[in-house]
């Protein structure tokens, strides 16, 4: 996953000159809300204070922002800008569990979802975290369960479901969408939603953490390249309907990530839809390019209608 961060030009120790802000903040009119009432469970040390760095390297003609050293995870709710469909999506940016690509794979996705009448909940989860280890700048076990990050995803799903009425969403139409490492988190919560990773902290934790639908976009960490699924992703008949997307020339995580996961879903008879493209690479988000894969959001919208999560 180090190649992913290099490709974005977001590596925290990059020697290039970067604009730097202390902490990422959403656009005016939106507020970050801590997802834990106190300190997050099993809080681990990080190498420094939370920072947001804007890279000088352009991606699809635009800069990209990386957030790192997150110890207080938050969620930011973006309400639909048009007719409210009642659906909600928790968006999980990627970044190799080292950083969060907060705009490329976060706010820009919320812009798309809210324009389609879908409530977007942007999760700023804890990084750096497993399977990345900042102390050695390595990944000793690249297929380890990302416990602290997954705790944050579970907690956010339960919070959104507990606050469904206030957010004007249907508690039975709440899904997850994640990119790269965030795509791995989508697979993790899709298959580990009943796994008790932290002690309940309030009434919200009585809610289910199971997503009603899932969208891993160019996910990683799902296979070792041997055709076998990561054993920490126990796909079963209870895994939610899933939309998968990857490019065959993704040489960061590899198209086999989607192939192996799709095969496991099919064997468990989980409704799944997979789209593979010849070109697209990795970390393209929703930014327009010359490649046909750039129109993938239309396919996702059609799929959401197909499974009944979004209705006209």
């Amino acid at each position: 996953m180090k190649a992913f961060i290099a490709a974005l030009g977001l590596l925290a120790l990059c020697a290039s000159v970067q604009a730097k802000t202390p902490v990422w903040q959403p656009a005016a009119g939106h507020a970050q809300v801590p997802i834990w009432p106190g300190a997050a469970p099993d809080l681990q040390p990080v190498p420094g204070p939370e920072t947001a760095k804007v890279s000088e390297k352009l991606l699809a003609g635009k800069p990209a922002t990386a957030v790192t050293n997150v110890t207080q995870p938050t969620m930011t709710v973006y309400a639909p800008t048009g007719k409210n469909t009642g659906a909600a999506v928790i968006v999980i940016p990627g970044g190799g569990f080292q950083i969060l690509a907060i705009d490329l794979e976060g706010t820009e996705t919320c812009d798309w979802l809210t324009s389609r009448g879908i409530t977007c909940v942007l999760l700023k989860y804890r990084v750096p975290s497993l399977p990345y280890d900042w102390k050695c700048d390595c990944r000793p076990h690249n297929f380890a369960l990302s416990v602290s990050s997954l705790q944050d995803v579970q907690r956010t799903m339960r919070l959104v479901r507990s606050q469904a009425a206030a957010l004007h969403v249907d508690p039975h139409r709440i899904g997850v969408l994640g990119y790269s490492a965030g795509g791995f988190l989508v697979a993790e919560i899709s298959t580990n939603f009943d796994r008790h990773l932290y002690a309940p902290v309030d009434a919200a934790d009585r809610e289910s953490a199971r997503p009603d639908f899932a969208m891993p976009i160019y996910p990683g960490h799902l296979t070792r390249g041997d055709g076998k699924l990561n054993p920490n992703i126990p796909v079963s008949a209870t895994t939610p309907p899933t939309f998968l997307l990857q490019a065959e020339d993704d040489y960061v995580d590899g198209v086999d990530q989607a192939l192996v996961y799709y095969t496991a879903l099919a064997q468990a008879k989980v409704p799944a839809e997979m789209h593979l493209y010849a070109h697209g690479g990795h970390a393209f988000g929703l930014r327009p390019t010359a490649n046909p894969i750039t129109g993938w959001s239309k396919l996702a919208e059609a799929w959401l209608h197909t499974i009944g999560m979004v209705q006209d």
Side-chain angles (χ1 to χ4, degrees):
M1 298 297 294
K2 290 172 70 175
F4 166 46
I5 302 166
L8 288 175
L10 298 176
L11 190 60
L13 299 179
C14 179
S16 64
V17 177
Q18 296 173 314
K20 185 175 179 180
T21 56
V23 180
W24 174 81
Q25 295 292 340
H30 302 283
Q32 293 186 78
V33 179
I35 64 171
W36 302 99
D42 307 315
L43 193 61
Q44 300 297 312
V46 296
E50 181 178 329
T51 60
K53 296 183 179 181
V54 181
S55 172
E56 289 189 335
K57 181 176 180 178
L58 301 182
L59 188 62
K62 296 173 63 177
T65 303
V67 175
T68 193
N69 296 336
V70 177
T71 55
Q72 185 181 57
T74 66
M75 68 179 193
T76 305
V77 178
Y78 297 79
T81 55
K83 179 183 176 181
N84 187 355
T85 65
V89 175
I90 296 169
V91 171
I92 310 171
F97 294 103
Q98 185 174 355
I99 59 97
L100 302 178
I102 202 73
D103 46 14
L104 171 68
E105 297 171 346
T107 57
E108 293 170 19
T109 298
C110 286
D111 290 342
W112 159 54
L113 291 169
T114 55
S115 73
R116 299 301 186 268
I118 300 169
T119 297
C120 180
V121 180
L122 176 57
L123 174 60
K124 187 176 76 175
Y125 58 94
R126 280 174 281 172
V127 288
S129 66
L130 290 176
Y132 174 74
D133 184 349
W134 64 268
K135 295 175 183 177
C136 62
D137 189 19
C138 64
R139 292 170 173 81
H141 183 6
N142 208 29
F143 303 94
L145 200 71
S146 51
V147 176
S148 61
S149 300
L150 183 53
Q151 288 172 334
D152 295 342
V153 180
Q154 286 185 342
R155 172 67 178 172
T156 303
M157 177 60 69
R158 290 171 173 138
L159 275 175
V160 173
R161 190 158 276 137
S162 70
Q163 298 173 12
L167 296 174
H168 306 291
V169 302
D170 184 336
H172 304 295
R173 289 194 284 152
I174 303 171
V176 284
L177 184 157
Y179 301 88
S180 193
F184 178 50
L185 279 164
V186 166
E188 284 186 302
I189 195 170
S190 294
T191 56
N192 290 278
F193 52 84
D194 273 342
R195 189 164 180 170
H196 300 291
L197 295 178
Y198 64 90
V201 296
D202 56 28
D205 286 324
R206 291 198 290 266
E207 298 286 347
S208 171
R210 180 185 181 273
D212 295 301
F213 56 93
M215 293 184 276
I217 311 300
Y218 44 85
H221 305 273
L222 295 175
T223 180
R224 296 174 171 83
D226 56 3
K228 297 179 181 179
L229 183 67
N230 182 341
N232 285 313
I233 307 298
V235 171
S236 71
T238 60
T239 301
T242 300
F243 175 95
L244 276 160
L245 179 92
Q246 203 141 23
E248 291 183 14
D249 63 353
D250 181 344
Y251 302 126
V252 174
D253 283 315
V255 71
D256 56 332
Q257 305 290 328
L259 289 168
V260 170
Y261 193 48
Y262 176 82
T263 299
L265 293 168
Q267 290 174 345
K269 296 182 171 54
V270 174
E273 181 170 310
M274 177 172 63
H275 295 274
L276 303 179
Y277 285 81
H279 302 291
H282 193 77
F284 46 83
L286 284 163
R287 295 185 178 179
T289 69
N291 295 313
I293 200 170
T294 200
W296 70 266
S297 61
K298 298 293 185 184
L299 300 173
E301 290 170 27
W303 175 75
L304 287 170
H305 280 83
T306 299
I307 64 172
M309 289 294 117
V310 173
Q311 300 168 355
D312 295 325

